[in-house]
Amino acid sequence: DAGVIQSPRHEVTEMGQEVTLRCKPISGHNSLFWYRQTMMRGLELLIYFNNNVPIDDSGMPEDRFSAKMPNASFSTLKIQPSEPRDSAVYFCASRVRQGGGYTFGSGTRLTVV
Amino acid sequence: RKEVEQDPGPFNVPEGATVAFNCTYSNSASQSFFWYRQDCRKEPKLLMSVYSSGNEDGRFTAQLNRASQYISLLIRDSKLSDSATYLCVVNKNSGGYQKVTFGTGTKLQVIP
């Protein structure tokens, strides 16, 4: 099992540029989550999908953030335009069933300069 | 009050010591609970689930106190490799789906 796969591992971009983060969940897991982690705020849930449908996007900071899950094996988180305050580690996680534990990807460390 | 609260630490303990962390939650309807471990610059990893009757996995014991709304993690015979941040996780039903909330973590440093 390859686990949850995220790309890129690191991203450095200039303010105002578009950033796209990618995630491949574990095969058979029907829930996918995007989290952001910073020292100040800890782990924050941005959005989660169940069976490819967005269920709760209340954590998405603002309209600059969008997420899609076109099929069961792929999701993207897009930031357009990016700002320095978006600098954080973005984790994707998947879960096989409600009530179960998550498996996290290795994260994407985003730096916006 | 935060939904899930943890003492950020750090807890500095000598090798071989026993250490315990608590995590309090505010919603009495919370249904399932977990402890995760996160090493520096790594992703969180599931350490163990927390069952109502309490559960043990080697040197680790997790307990749930629903009356006082907290969960605990006890680590016996601490090893240097136990140094990490320990995150508690609380699940509760919300609109037919489960809402998951992570604590901000308790940092443990085991000292030689």
Side-chain angles (χ1 to χ4, degrees):
Chain A
D1 186 351
V4 176
I5 299 173
Q6 289 187 246
S7 64
R9 291 293 304 272
H10 301 275
E11 176 81 30
V12 180
T13 191
E14 290 185 347
M15 183 173 64
Q17 296 297 305
E18 177 180 297
V19 176
T20 300
L21 312 181
R22 298 173 176 79
C23 176
K24 176 179 167 54
I26 292 174
S27 177
H29 283 198
N30 62 8
S31 296
L32 182 141
F33 305 80
W34 282 102
Y35 280 88
R36 176 171 69 176
Q37 188 173 38
T38 60
M39 288 290 291
M40 292 297 293
R41 301 168 72 106
L43 265 171
E44 302 174 275
L45 177 65
L46 300 177
I47 185 169
Y48 96 85
F49 295 86
N50 197 60
N51 294 322
N52 312 339
V53 176
I55 300 301
D56 182 357
D57 65 356
S58 59
M60 297 284 263
E62 49 198 91
D63 291 346
R64 297 184 298 106
F65 285 68
S66 62
K68 294 182 179 179
M69 190 164 187
N71 57 60
S73 60
F74 184 65
S75 176
T76 58
L77 177 67
K78 187 177 291 187
I79 309 172
Q80 166 64 22
S82 57
E83 297 181 2
R85 62 194 167 115
D86 301 331
S87 298
V89 180
Y90 290 80
F91 287 108
C92 175
S94 68
R95 181 176 71 183
V96 66
R97 59 174 174 80
Q98 289 205 67
Y102 292 176
T103 300
F104 282 81
S106 300
T108 294
R109 186 171 295 275
L110 173 65
T111 304
V112 183
V113 297
Chain B
R1 182 183 174 187
K2 288 184 181 177
E3 285 192 61
V4 179
E5 292 200 71
Q6 294 184 253
D7 182 341
F11 284 59
N12 297 313
V13 302
E15 265 187 294
T18 295
V19 61
F21 314 130
N22 280 350
C23 168
T24 58
Y25 60 94
S26 60
N27 192 316
S28 59
S30 298
Q31 295 183 300
S32 57
F33 308 87
F34 304 87
W35 283 103
Y36 279 71
R37 170 197 169 123
Q38 186 172 23
D39 292 286
C40 188
R41 301 180 77 83
K42 298 285 190 181
E43 73 273 21
K45 292 186 178 177
L46 179 63
L47 180 64
M48 58 197 303
S49 303
V50 186
Y51 301 125
S52 297
S53 54
N55 49 299
E56 189 174 304
D57 183 1
R59 298 181 293 107
F60 297 82
T61 300
Q63 292 195 311
L64 167 63
N65 186 316
R66 283 195 184 273
S68 300
Q69 295 183 201
Y70 73 87
I71 63 172
S72 64
L73 178 67
L74 180 81
I75 305 175
R76 289 180 298 280
D77 188 23
S78 301
K79 312 290 185 191
L80 295 177
S81 57
D82 294 333
S83 298
T85 296
Y86 291 83
L87 305 164
C88 74
V89 178
V90 174
N91 285 350
K92 68 176 169 69
N93 274 345
S94 177
Y97 292 91
Q98 286 215 332
K99 181 177 177 183
V100 179
T101 305
F102 278 78
T104 51
T106 296
K107 186 171 182 179
L108 170 66
Q109 185 70 46
V110 181
I111 304 163

